[in-house]
Amino acid sequence: MRNFARLRGAAVVALVLVGVLAGCSADRSGTSTTAAIDSNASKGGSALAGAAAPAGSGTAQGASAAAGRQVITTGTAQLTVDDPRKAAVAVVALVEGEGGRVDARKEQTAAAGRDAFAQLTVRIPSDSMTSTLAKLEDIGRVDQVDLSAQDVTGTAEDLDARIRALKLSVARMEDLLSRATSNADLIAAENALTERQANLESLQSQRARLAEQVALSTLDITLTAPGNAPEPTTHGFLGGLAAGWGALVAMLGTLVLVVGVLLPWLAFAGVITLAVLASLQWARRRRTPAPGATVPGPTAPPEAAPFEAAPFEAAPGEAAPPAR
């Protein structure tokens, strides 16, 4: 019994020691975890931010990839305004205020037989296209907007790769040219270097032009007065009927124009023809005798005298022919 009591006491002591050691180890691990969190926070972020960092980095990469796209934007816009010329001045001020420029401008005032309108071709920064279209509504009524985008990212990357390759090639040719020992090698290296430099400059100009098209979008703006707005295009049977009627009216108008041009010439030719016919008739009347006039007949030929036969003289020794 004494031995059993001793064993039970030793077991209790062992359990107490194990509990104490486990508590100490837990405190140490908790202290180390807290220290790690505090160190992460001191380095610029909490533990939650550190856990969300991978997702945030993926979003940032997607945004940068979208920002790296090369897109050329072109479009048209039709506006109805009270005064096209004043509206054109306002459009120019708006475009220049957005950092763009005007590449083409055409204006026409209202006169007899023609309507007032204005047409502008403007280049607007691609980032300002939406805001510019919104501000056009302050100038007039926007009737139609048509935008199209062309992704030229592949073309731009191809040009960049070719430019880098040509730059390395030009550098190598310059090195070979500097180490040429004979005239033949020198001439060959110079020719090759000149050709590659020309190709490099051509590619660089193409890349610059492409970058300019990407940076500045092209917008064709048409400004018309309220009564001069273009009529909507009708498709289908009615569209064909309208087109046929328009063609018929145009043909009749052309025919009337041709007749109007030819009419003075036809009148002049008629007068000349009548004068010629009158002169011919007058000459024919002069040659025709008047009725009742005696026309001398042809003179009869003189009558021939009766034929008298000459006397026949017989030759010597011949008998005379019998008389008739």
Side-chain angles (χ1 to χ4, degrees):
M1 293 294 294
R2 292 180 180 177
N3 292 331
F4 177 76
R6 291 177 180 176
L7 291 175
R8 186 176 60 180
V12 171
V13 173
L15 289 175
V16 172
L17 292 176
V18 169
V20 172
L21 293 176
C24 293
S25 62
D27 292 338
R28 290 178 182 177
S29 61
T31 304
S32 61
T33 304
T34 305
I37 294 175
D38 293 340
S39 62
N40 290 334
S42 63
K43 289 180 180 178
S46 63
L48 182 61
S57 62
T59 304
Q61 291 176 359
S64 62
R69 293 178 60 233
Q70 305 288 322
V71 179
I72 297 176
T73 304
T74 57
T76 59
Q78 294 182 359
L79 280 74
T80 300
V81 296
D82 296 332
D83 190 347
R85 297 190 65 184
K86 292 183 179 179
V89 174
V91 169
V92 171
L94 171 61
V95 171
E96 292 179 350
E98 294 290 337
R101 69 171 187 267
V102 178
D103 282 355
R105 181 175 178 178
K106 180 180 180 181
E107 298 178 7
Q108 176 178 289
T109 57
R114 65 181 187 181
D115 301 326
F117 73 95
Q119 292 179 345
L120 299 94
T121 300
V122 299
R123 305 294 303 278
I124 307 170
S126 300
D127 298 337
S128 304
M129 175 63 77
T130 304
S131 61
T132 302
L133 292 176
K135 292 178 181 178
L136 286 177
E137 297 180 355
D138 298 335
I139 299 175
R141 187 185 68 204
V142 180
D143 297 325
Q144 182 179 355
V145 174
D146 186 9
L147 296 178
S148 61
Q150 179 184 3
D151 193 341
V152 294
T153 306
T155 304
E157 292 177 352
D158 179 66
L159 286 174
D160 291 338
R162 294 171 62 184
I163 288 173
R164 286 193 299 268
L166 272 178
K167 284 183 177 179
L168 293 176
S169 179
V170 167
R172 287 195 299 267
M173 293 308 302
E174 289 177 348
D175 183 53
L176 290 176
L177 182 63
S178 63
R179 291 187 290 107
T181 56
S182 62
N183 292 333
D185 295 341
L186 182 62
I187 293 173
E190 287 181 350
N191 293 335
L193 179 60
T194 302
E195 180 181 359
R196 296 183 186 185
Q197 284 179 342
N199 294 334
L200 177 59
E201 293 175 358
S202 176
L203 291 178
Q204 287 176 341
S205 63
Q206 294 179 23
R207 185 64 180 90
R209 185 164 56 251
L210 186 64
E212 193 265 347
Q213 292 176 352
V214 170
L216 295 177
S217 301
T218 303
L219 184 63
D220 295 326
I221 303 175
T222 302
L223 306 171
T224 57
N228 305 328
E231 298 181 357
T233 304
T234 306
H235 302 281
F237 173 77
L238 295 178
L241 184 62
W245 177 256
L248 177 61
V249 172
M251 185 190 69
L252 292 178
T254 304
L255 182 61
V256 170
L257 178 62
V258 172
V259 171
V261 172
L262 294 179
L263 187 59
W265 295 93
L266 293 176
F268 178 74
V271 171
I272 297 298
T273 303
L274 291 177
V276 171
L277 292 177
S279 62
L280 292 176
Q281 190 174 5
W282 178 77
R284 189 181 300 111
R285 286 179 179 178
R286 283 192 65 182
R287 289 196 301 267
T288 302
T294 303
V295 180
T299 304
E303 296 182 355
F307 176 76
E308 295 182 358
F312 180 78
E313 295 181 358
E318 291 184 355
R324 296 181 178 177

